[in-house]
Amino acid sequence: MLYAMQAPLVASLLLTLVARAVAHRCPPRAAVMVLVACAVGCAVTTALVLALHLLVLVAQQPSVAAALGYDPARFAHHVPVPWQASLLAVALLAVAVVRVRLLRRRRNRALRAADDLCSRLGGQVGGVVVVDDGAEAFALPTRGGRVVVSRALLEALPAGEQAALLAHERAHLRDHHDLLRAATAWAAAIDLLLLGVPAAVRYASERWADESAAAELGGDRPLVARAVARAGLARTALQERPAWASVALAGGEGDVVRRVRALLAHRPGRGRPLLGLGAVCLALLLAAGGHAVEDTAEVLQHVRSGGQDTEHGLASVELAHQVGHRALEELVPSRG
């Protein structure tokens, strides 16, 4: 049981440590897919583990054991989880619930503001709307999506770079980058160890849109690089951050210098090795989550049986742990 509880936390920490490197050094589309999938997997399994800790903490209480008719000492023997660890996990679960509620409130407010803006701007679904304020270009995902660009920014770009900028924003809408970013934000709200992953996904999604724009323009990556650089220089920061800004996807955001360097370097591959590695890691993570679910069911079975089901209940977990130890000893022979 302890292995299943520790695995999601270790995986979340490792994902946070490698997220930036994956986003900056790997093909952007594959990087986004792997980071989002692993972040969601970490968040789901972490939530399961925290809930399991809550169950263990409640089951260890003498009053609960007396009410359900089982021996708390025998339960603690089969579920060797320190109460301090369970108490910390419950606190983290409470923090996660609060963070999820706050994120839902902010996101709902942002989506309503973006929806109102799209309604005021009008235009066709997926079309381009030109505004007079500032020097901005961004994609709004609500009401079917709109690409909003300021007249000042269009006038600052040559025709080819205008096409590159608009292709970049359309790529955000076409590939649903808003949903991928939102999934990572929800995962980070649940799992505090994933706080560095959303920034990596934002950068990688910008790179993905850069490469999509280049492909749409016949592979002219230097043209897209010039458009990104000029838009980044011309982009004006808004004096007051509007409510819809958190769901807008702006091409001039992110590490513009690094994005330009990446566009002027060699074209990235498809990232199949990274996708394969990500699939393996996700499978292992989900297996740990499944183990946690199995342990939860066996804890409940142990409680409902009054602490008498030791042959077929939690004893199977101990047997699985023994098998795991033996497998590790065979795979990693002792030195010396």
Side-chain angles (χ1 to χ4, degrees):
M1 176 177 289
L2 294 179
Y3 296 138
M5 289 182 171
Q6 295 168 358
L9 302 179
V10 174
S12 300
L13 181 59
L14 291 177
L15 182 61
T16 298
L17 292 177
V18 304
R20 180 180 175 86
V22 170
H24 285 246
R25 300 182 182 180
C26 297
R29 181 178 182 275
V32 171
M33 293 300 185
V34 169
L35 290 175
V36 172
C38 290
V40 172
C42 285
V44 171
T45 52
T46 296
L48 288 174
V49 166
L50 295 180
L52 176 58
H53 273 288
L54 174 61
L55 175 62
V56 169
L57 184 63
V58 172
Q60 287 177 343
Q61 303 306 309
S63 57
V64 176
L68 296 178
Y70 63 91
D71 184 3
R74 180 176 296 178
F75 177 85
H77 172 73
H78 288 288
V79 189
V81 180
W83 67 268
Q84 296 91 339
S86 294
L87 191 61
L88 176 61
V90 171
L92 292 176
L93 184 61
V95 171
V97 171
V98 173
R99 287 172 56 83
V100 167
R101 290 176 63 90
L102 291 176
L103 177 61
R104 186 178 70 172
R105 185 181 304 173
R106 289 196 304 268
R107 182 164 176 81
N108 287 341
R109 184 167 59 247
L111 289 174
R112 286 194 299 268
D115 189 74
D116 292 341
L117 179 60
C118 284
S119 179
R120 293 198 306 269
L121 293 176
Q124 297 180 351
V125 173
V128 178
V129 179
V130 179
V131 296
D132 295 325
D133 298 333
E136 294 284 337
F138 52 87
L140 288 174
T142 55
R143 286 185 177 266
R146 302 287 193 282
V147 173
V148 182
V149 59
S150 66
R151 196 177 309 277
L153 184 56
L154 287 178
E155 293 175 352
L157 300 178
E161 295 177 15
Q162 291 179 13
L165 181 66
L166 297 178
H168 173 101
E169 300 302 339
R170 285 194 298 267
H172 278 314
L173 296 177
R174 182 179 62 250
D175 296 324
H176 304 288
H177 291 170
D178 60 306
L179 298 180
L180 296 172
R181 293 185 183 186
T184 314
W186 286 112
I190 295 172
D191 190 345
L192 293 176
L193 294 178
L194 298 175
L195 288 179
V197 179
V201 171
R202 284 195 298 270
Y203 172 80
S205 63
E206 291 295 337
R207 284 281 301 116
W208 182 358
D210 291 340
E211 297 297 337
S212 297
E216 183 177 330
L217 297 175
D220 195 345
R221 302 175 75 242
L223 175 62
V224 178
R226 292 194 300 271
V228 169
R230 203 184 304 270
L233 291 174
R235 183 174 180 268
T236 58
L238 298 176
Q239 295 297 326
E240 295 183 2
R241 185 175 173 85
W244 47 260
S246 61
V247 297
L249 303 106
E253 290 183 340
D255 192 340
V256 174
V257 174
R258 188 179 290 271
R259 287 168 56 197
V260 170
R261 288 176 178 173
L263 283 166
L264 296 178
H266 64 278
R267 182 176 179 274
R270 299 179 64 87
R272 290 180 179 176
L274 178 63
L275 290 173
L277 179 61
V280 172
C281 294
L282 184 61
L284 293 175
L285 186 62
L286 294 179
H291 193 183
V293 172
E294 179 184 3
D295 287 354
T296 304
E298 292 185 349
V299 168
L300 292 172
Q301 180 182 0
H302 183 76
V303 171
R304 293 181 62 185
S305 65
Q308 302 301 319
D309 189 4
T310 60
E311 295 297 329
H312 304 289
L314 294 173
S316 64
V317 178
E318 297 180 357
L319 177 61
H321 289 170
Q322 294 176 4
V323 172
H325 277 301
R326 293 174 184 173
L328 286 176
E329 291 176 356
E330 293 179 1
L331 291 174
V332 184
S334 59
R335 297 181 179 179

